[in-house]
Amino acid sequence: MTATATAQPAAQVHATTPLPALRWSTDALVALFELPFNDLLFRAQEVHREHHQPNAVQLSTLLSIKTGGCSEDCGYCSQSAHHGEAEREALLDVDAVVSAAKAAKDKGATRFCMGAAWRGPKDKDLDQVAGMIAAVKALGMETCVTLGMLKPGQADKLKAAGLDYYNHNLDTAPEFYGQVISTHSQQDRFDTLDQVRAAGINVCCGGIVGMGETRRARASLLAELANLAPPPESVPINQLVPMPGTPLENAPPLDPFEFVRTIAVARIIMPTSLVRLSAGRQEMSDELQALCFLAGANSIFYGDKLLTADNPEAGRDEALFKRLGLHAA
Ligand code: SAM
Ligand code: DTB
Ligand code: SF4
């Protein structure tokens, strides 16, 4: 059987920029997922080499600037007040953030991502975060924040502070979204993404796999991401980290090859984006991570902590890069 994947004319595109009317269908992406593994990885490598340095991997370091107690009920999240067990911590002060950013820069990270467990920021909080962004930017790093849903005008304030990227994930397929989150809708996420784009901030937007969704749902999420106009500059692909106490604590583990396929499809349909091998690396073997790089992942979260979950120690990543001949971008 020959599987073909074609871009279809657009019916509707999200975001404000009128761009080429290309729209990926879920069927086309399911066909990519169904390719023999070697064929899929070969196609992903071809696309990867056409658009990126083949052995370069960008390093982003995360810091949780406000932890736990979130009003939202995202079924995967340790920081939800509904079920999360993460220890709560108030918004950090600027000095603490700057010293973490300096340490990350010294270790080789080029982007510093600050995450807050909010449904969305209050204006007072946003002013404090703006100070953090300006201070991290002054270190010569790229800045990224993920603060939840934005109200009109807030994205402009972030842009004025020097923000390079806003992370706001679509997280899962529209047809699965309501099974995982009830306190906001995926349309709310699109609305914030539109504001981020309109403010001239780069978009970091991806999702989570391994929550018990079908392959078709994974394809459907990737189609939504690629059909953003333009597609996100950064696409974090998270593998669910099953957190104690959350509704998804006992989700059945995903076949590792299916995770690699997800990366490969993302690479093929979003050729110029950074595809980040994100949460879940601590639980992955070196061999599985190598397959993800072969499939076109060219960014990682670097540093021993994500927001509340563990991430590989820098030393393990350095050793892996050396064995694979990879270098920091
Ligand atoms: N509250 C903001 C929001 O939801 O956009 C920002 C922080 S939130 C923790 C950022 C992202 O982390 C989520 O969109 C989700 O993709 C990811 N995430 C959260 N918990 C996770 C888990 N247990 N495993 C994998 N990814 C997770
Ligand atoms: C993203 O897509 N993954 C990061 C970042 N954006 C903010 C967060 C992963 C969180 C993993 C679970 C935790 O640390 O609590
Ligand atoms: Fe809150 Fe974000 Fe966690 Fe959802 S993913 S509960 S919005 S911190």
Side-chain angles (χ1 to χ4, degrees):
M1 190 190 75
T2 320
T4 51
T6 49
Q8 310 291 326
Q12 184 211 348
V13 286
H14 292 283
T16 46
T17 324
L19 268 175
L22 288 177
R23 195 169 164 82
W24 290 95
S25 71
T26 300
D27 282 344
L29 300 196
V30 169
L32 280 177
F33 267 93
E34 285 175 353
L35 285 170
F37 189 76
N38 289 346
D39 293 349
L40 177 59
L41 261 67
F42 183 74
R43 282 183 65 169
Q45 258 296 303
E46 280 185 319
V47 173
H48 190 60
R49 281 166 186 267
E50 197 183 325
H51 295 278
H52 303 275
Q53 288 182 53
N55 300 303
V57 178
Q58 187 275 334
L59 307 180
S60 292
T61 293
L62 269 172
L63 177 69
S64 182
I65 57 169
K66 186 267 167 185
T67 310
C70 182
S71 65
E72 304 306 283
D73 68 353
C74 312
Y76 42 81
C77 187
S78 66
Q79 302 196 70
S80 164
H82 299 255
H83 49 247
E85 295 182 0
E87 206 157 310
R88 297 183 188 196
E89 212 179 310
L91 187 58
L92 298 182
D93 63 35
V94 176
D95 290 349
V97 173
V98 169
S99 65
K102 271 189 188 144
K105 188 183 177 190
D106 289 347
K107 285 202 160 157
T110 57
R111 192 179 301 175
F112 195 66
C113 308
M114 296 161 266
W118 287 322
R119 172 179 167 87
K122 298 192 182 85
D123 285 332
K124 174 175 69 76
D125 296 328
L126 200 79
D127 290 341
Q128 200 166 327
V129 173
M132 296 174 190
I133 292 166
V136 172
K137 185 88 178 155
L139 299 175
M141 300 184 85
E142 290 182 322
T143 54
C144 178
V145 296
T146 181
L147 313 173
M149 293 183 268
L150 296 179
K151 292 194 282 289
Q154 291 190 322
D156 295 321
K157 279 193 177 174
L158 293 170
K159 175 71 180 174
L163 185 67
D164 297 305
Y165 290 82
Y166 194 86
N167 167 248
H168 201 61
N169 292 338
L170 290 179
D171 282 319
T172 193
E175 59 273 21
F176 195 59
Y177 204 85
Q179 287 182 55
V180 180
I181 301 156
S182 78
T183 47
H184 58 262
S185 68
Q186 204 179 57
Q187 187 55 51
D188 293 326
R189 308 291 282 187
F190 280 115
D191 293 346
T192 289
L193 290 170
D194 281 350
Q195 294 189 46
V196 170
R197 270 277 173 243
I201 300 167
N202 292 306
V203 169
C204 172
C205 182
I208 313 177
V209 296
M211 300 194 292
E213 75 286 341
T214 60
R215 171 179 274 183
R216 190 170 182 82
R218 286 185 281 279
S220 166
L221 166 68
L222 291 180
E224 283 195 303
L225 293 170
N227 290 336
L228 288 167
E233 281 74 20
S234 293
V235 181
I237 305 291
N238 297 281
Q239 172 167 278
L240 176 72
V241 181
M243 302 302 281
T246 62
L248 287 167
E249 177 179 5
N250 297 312
L254 187 67
D255 174 359
F257 295 131
E258 186 69 11
F259 186 81
V260 179
R261 285 178 185 274
T262 307
I263 298 271
V265 175
R267 166 51 64 225
I268 292 166
I269 64 172
M270 292 175 275
T272 61
S273 304
L274 280 184
V275 174
R276 182 172 310 121
L277 173 52
S278 300
R281 278 200 313 118
Q282 173 76 341
E283 292 72 26
M284 293 179 193
S285 68
D286 287 357
E287 293 83 352
L288 175 55
Q289 292 186 61
L291 281 175
C292 292
F293 294 127
L294 187 64
N298 60 347
S299 172
I300 57 169
F301 284 124
Y302 177 63
D304 57 12
K305 194 111 183 260
L306 293 164
L307 293 173
T308 69
D310 290 339
N311 197 45
E313 305 272 344
R316 180 180 163 201
D317 285 337
E318 279 157 23
L320 178 61
F321 276 33
K322 199 161 175 208
R323 287 169 79 199
L324 298 178
L326 296 175
H327 57 87

